[in-house]
Amino acid sequence: MSAPVRFDGRVVLVTGAGGGLGREYALAFAERGASVVVNDLGGDMRGEGQGSRAADVVVNEIKSKGGKAVANYDSVEDGEKLIQTALDAFGRIDVVVNNAGILRDKSFARTSDQDWDLIHRVHLRGSFLVTRAAWPHMKKQNYGRIIMTASAAGIYGNFGQANYSAAKLGLLGLSNTLSIEGRKNNIHCNTIAPIAGSRLTETVMPSEMVEALKPIYVSPLVLYLCNEETEENGSLFEVGAGWIGKLRWQRTEGAIVRQKGQNTTPEQVRANWDKITDFDHPTYPKTIQDSTMYTMKILEQIESSASSSSDSPRTTFNAYTGGMNAELAKSFTTKPSQFSYTASDAILYALGVGMSTKEENYLKFLYEGADDFSILPTYIVIPSMGSLTDNLMEGIPGVDAPLANVLHGEQYCEVYKPFQPSATLTSKVQVLDILDKRSGAVIIYNVDTFDENNEKVAFCQFAIFVVGKGNFGGVRTCEGIKQPIEAPKRQPDSSIKESTSIDQAALYRLSGDRNPLHIDPNFAAMAGFKTPILHGLCSFGFAVRHVLRQYANNDVSLFKAVKARFAKPVLPGQTLQTDMWKDGNRIFFQTKVVENSNICISGAYVDLKDTVSFTETLKPAMSTGSQLQSDDVFERLSKEISQRKGLAAKINAIFLWNITKGGKQASQWTVDMKSSKSGEIYRGEPKGKKADCTLTVDDGNMVDITTGKLPAPQAFMTGKLKVKGNIMLAQKLGQLFQEAAKM
C-alpha cells in the first residue's frame, strides 16, 4: 500500500482558520504532523470587528490532541506579519492555504464602493499579500505549496455577488500565473472552489444543505494538493459532499471569417455564427501559448492559402487535444512520406552544421564533383524530422502536443549504409509509447526510412518532451527506448572546439527545420528566450562531425549509430567544444558551450562499425553455458556503473543477490551503491556491512528480469523473486538494471 499523506517537518499557514473550512484544514494538517499557524482576525461575516477567541480555540484543540500550532490575529492585508509568525514559531513556511473571506452580498445596482473594495481587499488583495510574503522563503528552500480559494460564484456567476464573484475569479488568474512562475522552484499553486456549509454559504443555501455539506468533505483534497509528492499544478477543482472534479477550458473549433487582405464584418460573423459556437470538435487550451500558437497558425493559413470564410483550421494542423492516450497513438498507422534530395541539398546541410572549406578534406562534403563525395550520416534527421512533422501537422490520435509545449529531448540515429548523392526516401513514423513523467509526457517516435528499392537505410528515434501533459496515468518507461549513457569520469581522450556562425540558425533552417523559434525574435521571446536559439539538431550535427573527424578520418562508411540528449540551448555565434572518450568502437562524447560552460549535449555516444551494445554482447556470452548467465550480467554492470554519474547517490543502498540454480544457491553478488561515490558490484557478501535488501532469484529468471522479459513486480508476485529487508529499496534497482534515466 502507498504510504499515508504526512506533513512531518512542514509548516502550514491557514488563513481564516477560526471556523468552517479553515478550522477543518488546520486540524487535518496538524493531525498529519504539520506545524500550523492558525490565522483569524476574529471578525464577523461582513468583515467587521476583531478578536482572538476564534483562533485560540482552534490552537487549543490542536494542542490538546498532541499537535503543534500557534495563533495569529492579523488581517490578511498584513501578509508579512502572518508569515513572520510562522518564521518566529517554526523557522520556515511550506504551505499557504488562502481561505480567509467575507461577504457583502447586494445586487449590482446597490453595490457601494465600500462593498466592492472590502471584498477585493480581503479575498484577492489579502491572498496576494500573504502569498507574496511567503514567496521568497519558498523560492529559497526550493519548495512550496499554495492553495487559492475561488467559488462557484466566480466560475459561473451568481445574483447578488458581483463583488464576490469578481474577486474569486481573480484568484484563479493569480493562481494560474503563480503556478507558471513557481514551477522552476518546485512551488505549486492550485485553486479550489469548495461547496461546503459555512458562514459564507449560509446566505445562499438552505440550512439543511449547509448541514449536509460538511467542511470535512473538502479538506482531503487540500491536503493532497499540498503534499510534497503531488505534482498537480495550476489546476482548478470543484469539491464538496465527498465529490471532487477538475475543471478545464473548452474552446470551439471556430471559423475563419475573413479572406486575405480583407477586413472582418458583422455580417461575416453572423454568417458563421453556428460554426463559431459549435462544440462538436472542441479543443482544450491549457496555456497562453496554446492560445497564441493557435492564432498564429490561423494567420499562417490565411496568408498562405487566401482562405475563404468557410475554411477551418482543423484540417491544417494538429487539432487533437483530447489528452494523451498511448494505446490509441501506438495503434494508429501514419501515412508514409517521401523526401527527395540532391547533392546540393546535402551540401547545404553540411554547411548548416559547420562544415567549412577551412577543413583539410572539405571537398568530399562540399563538392559534388569530388571522387569520394559523401553525405554526413546525420543528414538522416532531415527526412526523418520532416516525416514526423508532416504527421504531427495532420494529427496523430492520442498525441496531445501543442507546438509551444514541445521540447526535443533526445535523438537516436542508426544508418545502415551511406547515402547516395541523390535519392528519394520514404519514411514511416510509429509511436513507440508515451511515457508519463508527471510534469510532462515523453513521446517516443520511431522513424524507419527506406530507399527506392524499399531497402531500409536508416532508423531514427525521437524523444519529445511535452510540458504540462503528464499525469495521464501512463507508464514511466518501456522497452525499445535507446537510452543515453553518461560519459566516463576520466579526462577526455580528445576535444575539438569550433565556433558557430551568428547566422548558423538562419543557414541550418534552409535544410527544412523552419521553426520560427530559431529566427524570429518575437517568437523566441514568446517561448521564453531573449534571442532566437540554435537548433538542437544543428549542435548535434557539429558534435557528430567532430567525432567522425577525430576517430573515423571523416569516413562516413564507418558510422553506425549516434545517441544524444539535448540539455541546454545554444545561441548562434557561440563556441561548441566536443569532449570525447574512446572505448573500443564506441566514442562517448559531450558538447558544451565554451562561453558559459553549459553542457548542451550529454549522455551521448557514437558507435562506429563493428561496435556492439551492452545487450548485444551480453546475449552471446549467456548462450555459451560456460558460467551462470547472471554472472555475465553482474560483470557487465560492474563496468557500466562507473559511467553512470550520480546513479549511486540516487540508489543509496546495499543489495545482496542470492542466485540459485536448480533450487540450490549457486552464487552471491553484492551491489553496493552506498559505500562509494560511483558504486561497486562484486562477488560474495557485502564487505564489512549489512545488506539493506536481500534478493533471491533463479539464474535464468535473473536474466529475464534485467532484460525486461520478466517484469520485476510480476516476478515478485509469482514468487520467482524473493525479497527480504527494505522491500521499497528494491524498486530503485530498475534504474540500474534497465539502464533507465530521467528526460
Side-chain angles (χ1 to χ4, degrees):
M1 293 180 62
S2 300
V5 175
R6 297 287 301 176
F7 294 90
D8 302 289
R10 297 298 186 190
V11 178
V12 179
L13 164 65
V14 182
T15 67
L21 285 167
R23 171 184 175 274
E24 188 60 44
Y25 300 153
L27 294 174
F29 276 113
E31 182 181 356
R32 290 176 180 263
S35 301
V36 182
V37 177
V38 179
N39 161 262
D40 203 287
L41 183 63
D44 63 18
M45 183 182 67
R46 292 176 52 82
E48 298 173 347
Q50 188 172 354
S52 61
R53 184 178 183 280
D56 288 341
V57 168
V58 177
V59 169
N60 291 336
E61 186 174 356
I62 290 173
K63 289 183 175 180
S64 70
K65 297 177 181 179
K68 293 176 286 186
V70 295
N72 175 276
Y73 317 114
D74 295 302
S75 166
V76 289
E77 291 189 85
D78 296 316
E80 294 284 353
K81 293 182 179 179
L82 276 67
I83 300 303
Q84 194 59 49
T85 298
L87 299 177
D88 291 343
F90 305 116
R92 60 186 292 128
I93 180 68
D94 299 292
V95 178
V96 171
V97 181
N98 290 293
N99 171 74
I102 61 172
L103 281 179
R104 290 208 166 200
D105 291 352
K106 290 182 181 179
S107 66
F108 181 66
R110 296 177 58 241
T111 301
S112 67
D113 288 354
Q114 184 181 18
D115 293 330
W116 180 272
D117 292 342
L118 189 56
I119 289 293
H120 280 253
R121 282 167 49 196
V122 173
H123 289 272
L124 186 53
R125 179 173 167 78
S127 297
F128 157 68
L129 290 169
V130 172
T131 305
R132 186 179 67 176
W135 194 259
H137 303 286
M138 291 179 171
K139 286 184 67 176
K140 185 176 181 180
Q141 66 199 23
N142 202 42
Y143 180 83
R145 296 291 184 267
I146 300 165
I147 298 293
M148 297 293 179
T149 305
S151 166
I155 300 170
Y156 308 110
N158 192 35
F159 185 89
Q161 293 190 305
N163 51 359
Y164 181 75
S165 60
K168 285 301 188 183
L169 195 58
L171 283 167
L172 175 61
L174 175 61
S175 176
N176 289 342
T177 295
L178 294 185
S179 71
I180 296 169
E181 293 189 11
R183 184 182 296 137
K184 65 180 179 181
N185 295 111
N186 193 26
I187 303 173
H188 296 173
C189 190
N190 290 286
T191 304
I192 63 167
I195 307 168
S198 70
R199 67 179 188 176
L200 297 191
T201 55
E202 288 174 352
T203 62
V204 292
M205 289 183 181
S207 58
E208 59 272 17
M209 183 176 289
V210 172
E211 175 62 25
L213 296 173
K214 296 180 180 179
I216 197 172
Y217 300 138
V218 175
S219 59
L221 172 62
V222 172
L223 268 67
Y224 173 75
L225 291 175
C226 293
N227 185 249
E228 62 187 75
E229 296 181 0
T230 302
E231 297 292 335
E232 193 72 30
N233 189 25
S235 300
L236 170 64
F237 300 88
E238 286 186 294
V239 53
W243 168 86
I244 302 170
K246 184 175 179 178
L247 281 75
R248 64 180 178 184
W249 291 103
Q250 185 181 34
R251 177 177 60 192
T252 69
E253 185 181 35
I256 296 176
V257 295
R258 75 176 179 91
Q259 295 182 359
K260 184 178 180 180
Q262 295 182 356
N263 292 326
T264 303
T265 67
E267 289 76 18
Q268 289 172 315
V269 174
R270 180 178 61 193
N272 286 275
W273 192 249
D274 287 345
K275 193 167 187 178
I276 292 170
T277 58
D278 181 4
F279 279 92
D280 284 349
H281 301 287
T283 59
Y284 302 92
K286 292 184 177 180
T287 67
I288 192 170
Q289 288 83 7
D290 289 349
S291 176
T292 54
M293 286 299 299
Y294 196 91
T295 303
M296 290 181 68
K297 287 291 184 182
I298 297 295
L299 290 173
E300 288 179 11
Q301 181 175 333
I302 292 172
E303 290 299 316
S304 63
S305 61
S307 304
S308 67
S309 62
S310 62
D311 284 339
S312 166
R314 191 165 73 95
T315 59
T316 60
F317 63 96
N318 186 3
Y320 181 87
T321 52
M324 293 295 184
N325 186 325
E327 295 307 314
L328 179 61
K330 285 160 38 176
S331 65
F332 182 73
T333 301
T334 61
K335 296 179 181 179
S337 60
Q338 288 193 335
F339 176 86
S340 297
Y341 69 89
T342 65
S344 296
D345 298 315
I347 292 170
L348 181 62
Y349 171 79
L351 292 168
V353 296
M355 180 57 68
S356 168
T357 56
K358 296 177 182 178
E359 295 199 21
E360 183 177 351
N361 53 357
Y362 70 89
L363 282 176
K364 69 184 299 181
F365 297 109
L366 299 182
Y367 176 45
E368 67 281 5
D371 292 337
D372 58 349
F373 178 72
S374 302
I375 296 176
L376 289 168
T378 51
Y379 186 57
I380 187 57
V381 301
I382 301 300
S384 298
M385 176 65 87
S387 180
L388 178 57
T389 301
D390 289 345
N391 280 282
L392 291 178
M393 296 292 276
E394 287 288 333
I396 297 178
V399 174
D400 185 4
L403 181 60
N405 298 52
V406 167
L407 299 172
H408 192 169
E410 297 181 4
Q411 182 68 48
Y412 177 83
C413 299
E414 189 167 354
V415 177
Y416 304 119
K417 63 179 183 178
F419 297 112
Q420 296 299 310
S422 62
T424 296
L425 304 176
T426 301
S427 295
K428 299 177 181 178
V429 177
Q430 184 68 44
V431 175
L432 174 65
D433 215 330
I434 305 178
L435 310 183
D436 192 339
K437 298 296 183 178
R438 296 186 180 179
S439 61
V442 176
I443 311 171
I444 309 298
Y445 296 101
N446 286 345
V447 184
D448 293 310
T449 300
F450 304 83
D451 63 15
E452 292 97 330
N453 299 317
N454 202 33
E455 182 179 350
K456 189 173 178 180
V457 296
F459 165 78
C460 286
Q461 186 176 90
F462 296 79
I464 305 297
F465 188 80
V466 189
V467 178
K469 294 295 183 177
N471 288 317
F472 58 90
V475 298
R476 299 276 289 175
T477 187
C478 72
E479 293 185 3
I481 299 177
K482 304 295 184 179
Q483 298 285 6
I485 303 176
E486 297 304 325
K489 294 181 180 179
R490 67 178 189 272
Q491 288 295 312
D493 298 326
S494 59
S495 297
I496 292 179
K497 189 183 298 183
E498 186 174 8
S499 296
T500 65
S501 164
I502 193 68
D503 298 315
Q504 203 72 57
L507 180 59
Y508 182 85
R509 68 187 299 271
L510 298 180
S511 289
D513 189 343
R514 298 180 182 265
N515 187 336
L517 173 66
H518 306 292
I519 192 70
D520 187 340
N522 293 325
F523 196 97
M526 189 171 65
F529 298 101
K530 293 182 179 179
T531 61
I533 62 174
L534 192 61
H535 305 71
L537 286 175
C538 180
S539 303
F540 174 82
F542 267 80
V544 175
R545 273 185 45 246
H546 295 163
V547 175
L548 289 176
R549 184 202 306 177
Q550 185 69 24
Y551 291 105
N553 194 31
N554 279 333
D555 184 350
V556 298
S557 68
L558 296 180
F559 176 88
K560 180 181 179 183
V562 59
K563 172 68 183 186
R565 179 198 297 128
F566 302 110
K568 290 287 182 68
V570 179
L571 300 181
Q574 289 183 324
T575 303
L576 298 177
Q577 177 177 315
T578 302
D579 297 326
M580 294 165 273
W581 296 259
K582 190 175 188 303
D583 185 3
N585 287 329
R586 172 165 286 182
I587 313 301
F588 295 96
F589 71 91
Q590 72 176 19
T591 304
K592 69 178 180 181
V593 179
V594 173
E595 287 79 2
N596 54 27
S597 297
N598 285 341
I599 302 298
C600 59
I601 295 178
S602 64
Y605 61 84
V606 167
D607 282 340
L608 301 177
K609 288 293 173 63
D610 299 326
T611 294
V612 286
S613 67
F614 170 79
T615 54
E616 290 171 332
T617 56
L618 185 60
K619 292 176 183 176
M622 288 180 176
S623 63
T624 63
S626 61
Q627 60 179 346
L628 291 174
Q629 297 181 40
S630 56
D631 286 348
D632 200 85
V633 173
F634 287 111
E635 288 170 1
R636 298 285 179 179
L637 288 173
S638 68
K639 298 176 182 178
E640 288 285 319
I641 61 171
S642 64
Q643 302 165 9
R644 305 285 305 283
K645 185 177 181 180
L647 181 62
K650 291 180 181 179
I651 297 178
N652 193 30
I654 299 175
F655 302 88
L656 173 61
W657 286 85
N658 293 321
I659 306 300
T660 63
K661 188 81 170 179
K664 298 181 180 180
Q665 182 164 313
S667 70
Q668 285 184 312
W669 283 87
T670 293
V671 178
D672 186 349
M673 307 301 281
K674 184 188 254 184
S675 302
S676 65
K677 191 173 181 180
S678 60
E680 187 178 8
I681 299 177
Y682 52 86
R683 289 181 183 273
E685 296 183 347
K687 300 173 182 177
K689 293 188 178 182
K690 184 179 179 182
D692 298 303
C693 182
T694 300
L695 305 97
T696 302
V697 64
D698 177 78
D699 179 54
N701 289 334
M702 174 64 183
V703 175
D704 289 342
I705 291 172
T706 56
T707 58
K709 184 177 180 180
L710 175 62
Q714 180 182 333
F716 177 76
M717 295 300 294
T718 56
K720 295 179 179 179
L721 173 65
K722 298 179 181 179
V723 183
K724 291 183 179 181
N726 191 335
I727 295 178
M728 300 303 292
L729 287 175
Q731 299 178 22
K732 295 186 176 183
L733 284 170
Q735 300 177 63
L736 176 66
F737 291 115
Q738 297 175 15
E739 297 187 5
K742 290 186 176 180
M743 301 179 200

